[in-house]
Amino acid sequence: NDSPPPEAVDACHDRLITEIRLRMPSKVLALGKTASKVLAGDGRSIGKLRLLPASSPHLDGSSELRVTYHPSA
């Protein structure tokens, strides 16, 4: 599976972060490499982050971020 081009990620990034902040979910699950990279804000691998609570520069601390593999992977 191919990762989306950087332009596609950039085009959706602000809207995704805005939606998360507006809805203030208690949990956020990032599925796959692109989502984990955007939400965790760094280059750590999914294997290192998988199912452990992760921090995100985009979440205010009230939302718990978890990362796992995308089901199509």
Side-chain angles (χ1 to χ4, degrees), residues 17-36:
I17 301 308
T18 299
E19 286 291 322
I20 291 171
R21 288 181 176 158
L22 286 173
R23 297 181 185 277
M24 295 175 40
S26 60
K27 293 179 177 45
V28 175
L29 179 62
L31 298 176
K33 179 173 70 173
T34 303
S36 66

Side-chain angles (χ1 to χ4, degrees), residues 32-50:
K33 179 173 70 173
T34 303
S36 66
K37 184 177 178 182
V38 168
L39 290 174
D42 60 30
R44 290 179 288 173
S45 70
I46 293 174
K48 291 192 186 288
L49 292 171
R50 188 167 185 260

